[in-house]
Amino acid sequence: MPSSPRISSDTASGNEKGPVDVGFDAQERRRVLRKIDWHLLPIVSLLYLLSFLDRSNVGNAKVAGMSTDLNLTGYRYNIAAAVFFILYSFAEVPSNIALKVFRPSRWIPSIMVAWGLIMTLMCLVNTFQGLVVARVFLGLTEAGLFPGVTYYISLWYPRGERSLRIALFFSAATVAGAFGGILAYAIEKMEGVGGLHGWQWIFCLEGIATIIAALAAFFLMYDYPDTASFLTDAERHYVIQMLKRDSNNLSTDYQLRFVLQALRDYKSYVQVGVYIGLLVPVYAISLFTPTIINELGFSAANAQLLSVPPFVCGCIFTILVGVLSDKHKLRGPYVIGGSFVSLVGYIILYTQSGAAASYVGAVLAAVGVFPTIAVDLAWASSNAGGDIKRGVVVAMVIGIGNLGGICSSFVYLDPPRFHIGHGTMIGFLSLSILLSCFAMWNYQRINKQKDALCREEGITDDRKGEFVDMGDESPLFRYAI
């Protein structure tokens, strides 16, 4: 058993209760963070796995026969895939504000029950029009989960610890991609059971699983460190003080001006651009990998199974890159490196016609781009000062970025080589690389200006109370590179 944390004998003055300082050493700090990990990450990872499974299973259903049964000719499948992102994108900022106003343990499970019901009832869809309506409302109800959990993680962990945690959470998406292929392969065998097609059973069973997990989440999620029952008083105090120090005591209150700070900051839109360039390939991989593999000459059933390895490799590298990014306290270089690997994969897919080479390209595309999502979100959340601004920036990045999903839905139009689709992915990844280079240069430039200002005017941590409402514009705030 680890030794008990050392607590200062001094106590707070005035109306405050408890110790002023909790002297946790490095080992105790790691123990507390691991304790938080075990109580937070398993449940939010499960929720996101089910979320990603529910939004992307339309790709598996298409290969399993939905395209034929619903007469999805021409652009119909693309439209059904794209409409998900319309309300999904615009509902994310309001949802993150609602999460701050309400309790995370109530807001997140509630929206999950809603989309689980929609997913389950999608098994009754028997027309193209019905599929489109269901996908629109699925997007609306799912909108709050990913930005909500990303913001939620930022309320528990200091900036230098977030990349790995977001990577562990986001790795559930890659697991969902792998699991979705295996699950679809098995559920297809239920063709005709209960008068439903195999693809309808995919929607039904995965929706029921979502509802069950959502009901459990009402009891398994914790809200904030200051109300966490699994932490001792000393641990709770330590975590609260650690987060305050990490944020330079910036405001945690809800005020409209903090929302406006996020909306008016050009750096928010640079991060949006980086994220769009990464997310378009991620959604393309999720929505079209079974189709791409099918067009390489494999049967529909084998295409479902062969879609698994790219996601498994993506999961492994997502976690590995998250560890390295936190260890080196760097974000931009890992975004650029991962984008370049994925770029190579898409160049192979664009230029090669052989099945083996193209499959290697598909794996490289997933291995490169999946890890960048978690690192980029940790980057965006770390460089937005103050709770409300951070929540709005994260929602902006994810919300506007998800409009890229509409693009992903309409570029894979020319089988079997899909030159338009692969070429579009090359363009978006190049955009991310260029904007990441600009962001790194810009953050370094601003940090140097703040260093000079602090030296000239003698600004130290003793004056941090003067800058509590300035967010990341505070002269004491430093941007992550």
Side-chain angles (χ1 to χ4, degrees):
M1 291 284 291
S3 59
S4 299
R6 300 185 301 278
I7 303 176
S8 167
S9 58
D10 298 328
T11 55
S13 59
N15 294 325
E16 296 180 0
K17 295 181 180 180
V20 172
D21 180 48
V22 182
F24 282 72
D25 59 22
Q27 181 180 350
E28 286 293 328
R29 183 179 189 276
R30 286 193 297 271
R31 182 188 64 79
V32 172
L33 289 173
R34 294 294 177 271
K35 190 174 185 179
I36 295 173
D37 291 343
W38 281 109
H39 284 84
L40 265 61
L41 297 182
I43 183 64
V44 297
S45 297
L46 174 63
L47 301 190
Y48 188 56
L49 184 152
L50 293 168
S51 167
F52 206 83
L53 198 63
D54 289 344
R55 83 179 64 169
S56 59
N57 59 14
V58 68
N60 298 111
K62 174 179 181 280
V63 175
M66 181 183 71
S67 184
T68 301
D69 294 331
L70 299 188
N71 192 30
L72 300 184
T73 56
Y75 292 112
R76 286 188 164 192
Y77 172 74
N78 306 81
I79 292 170
V83 293
F84 172 91
F85 299 101
I86 298 172
L87 294 183
Y88 182 90
S89 298
F90 290 107
E92 296 194 353
V93 171
S95 180
N96 260 19
I97 294 173
L99 184 143
K100 182 64 178 177
V101 174
F102 301 104
R103 296 163 57 191
S105 65
R106 293 296 172 264
W107 181 253
I108 290 176
S110 295
I111 62 175
M112 195 171 179
V113 169
W115 98 62
L117 286 170
I118 293 170
M119 185 80 261
T120 303
L121 294 175
M122 277 179 66
C123 72
L124 303 179
V125 166
N126 54 21
T127 64
F128 163 68
Q129 292 79 5
L131 178 64
V132 168
V133 172
R135 289 279 296 174
V136 167
F137 284 98
L138 184 67
L140 173 65
T141 49
E142 274 202 44
L145 183 76
F146 188 42
V149 173
T150 303
Y151 176 43
Y152 176 66
I153 287 174
S154 77
L155 299 175
W156 285 83
Y157 295 95
R159 295 191 295 167
E161 302 285 348
R162 288 177 197 162
S163 182
L164 173 59
R165 274 71 186 189
I166 296 176
L168 289 169
F169 151 62
F170 182 73
S171 66
T174 57
V175 172
F179 184 58
I182 297 171
L183 199 60
Y185 177 79
I187 296 176
E188 269 190 81
K189 309 296 183 184
M190 296 180 66
E191 176 72 30
V193 175
L196 298 177
H197 294 293
W199 62 265
Q200 291 174 305
W201 278 111
I202 292 174
F203 294 149
C204 180
L205 295 181
E206 293 178 6
I208 291 171
T210 296
I211 294 172
I212 293 171
L215 295 175
F218 277 109
F219 305 98
L220 297 176
M221 283 191 71
Y222 297 89
D223 291 312
Y224 307 109
D226 56 350
T227 60
S229 58
F230 66 88
L231 295 174
T232 66
D233 289 341
E235 291 167 345
R236 191 178 302 113
H237 180 75
Y238 173 74
V239 172
I240 293 169
Q241 295 305 314
M242 174 179 65
L243 293 171
K244 282 185 177 180
R245 286 193 301 272
D246 184 67
S247 66
N248 287 302
N249 270 35
L250 295 176
S251 176
T252 60
D253 299 330
Y254 173 75
Q255 296 180 40
L256 179 60
R257 61 174 165 167
F258 299 141
V259 177
L260 296 178
Q261 281 179 4
L263 295 174
R264 293 170 177 169
D265 189 347
Y266 75 92
K267 296 186 293 297
S268 302
Y269 298 97
V270 173
Q271 287 291 351
V272 166
V274 173
Y275 191 71
I276 287 178
L278 302 174
L279 202 64
V280 171
V282 165
Y283 277 130
I285 290 167
S286 302
L287 292 171
F288 290 99
T289 293
T291 301
I292 292 169
I293 294 173
N294 191 204
E295 292 292 340
L296 291 177
F298 298 98
S299 68
N302 286 336
Q304 302 279 27
L305 293 177
L306 286 170
S307 69
V308 173
F311 291 101
V312 171
C313 294
C315 178
I316 294 169
F317 279 87
T318 294
I319 296 171
L320 176 62
V321 170
V323 171
L324 293 174
S325 177
D326 274 353
K327 179 180 179 181
H328 298 136
K329 301 293 186 288
L330 289 172
R331 308 302 185 212
Y334 286 98
V335 172
I336 293 169
S339 299
F340 183 76
V341 171
S342 189
L343 188 66
V344 171
Y346 278 111
I347 290 172
I348 292 173
L349 282 166
Y350 190 95
T351 59
Q352 301 299 311
S353 57
S358 297
Y359 189 71
V360 170
V363 173
L364 283 176
V367 163
V369 76
F370 273 115
T372 62
I373 295 295
V375 177
D376 184 50
L377 289 175
W379 200 14
S381 68
S382 295
N383 287 343
D387 281 2
I388 295 300
K389 181 177 181 181
R390 187 186 316 124
V392 173
V393 167
V394 167
M396 285 173 62
V397 169
I398 297 173
I400 301 174
N402 270 291
L403 289 173
I406 298 175
C407 173
S408 301
S409 304
F410 282 100
V411 294
Y412 279 88
L413 304 173
D414 53 338
R417 297 293 302 279
F418 295 111
H419 279 146
I420 295 173
H422 298 327
T424 303
M425 299 307 114
I426 290 170
F428 273 102
L429 288 165
S430 299
L431 172 69
S432 280
I433 291 171
L434 291 173
L435 286 177
S436 295
C437 290
F438 169 76
M440 290 174 63
W441 169 82
N442 192 46
Y443 290 140
Q444 276 191 319
R445 178 183 64 84
I446 298 173
N447 284 346
K448 289 178 181 177
Q449 289 177 347
K450 290 185 177 185
D451 289 340
L453 178 65
C454 288
R455 284 194 303 268
E456 290 169 7
E457 301 192 11
I459 299 173
T460 64
D461 284 345
D462 296 336
R463 296 175 56 187
K464 58 189 174 187
E466 300 175 27
F467 314 114
V468 67
D469 292 333
M470 290 184 65
D472 50 85
E473 297 297 322
S474 164
L476 294 172
F477 187 94
R478 295 296 181 272
Y479 293 103
I481 306 300

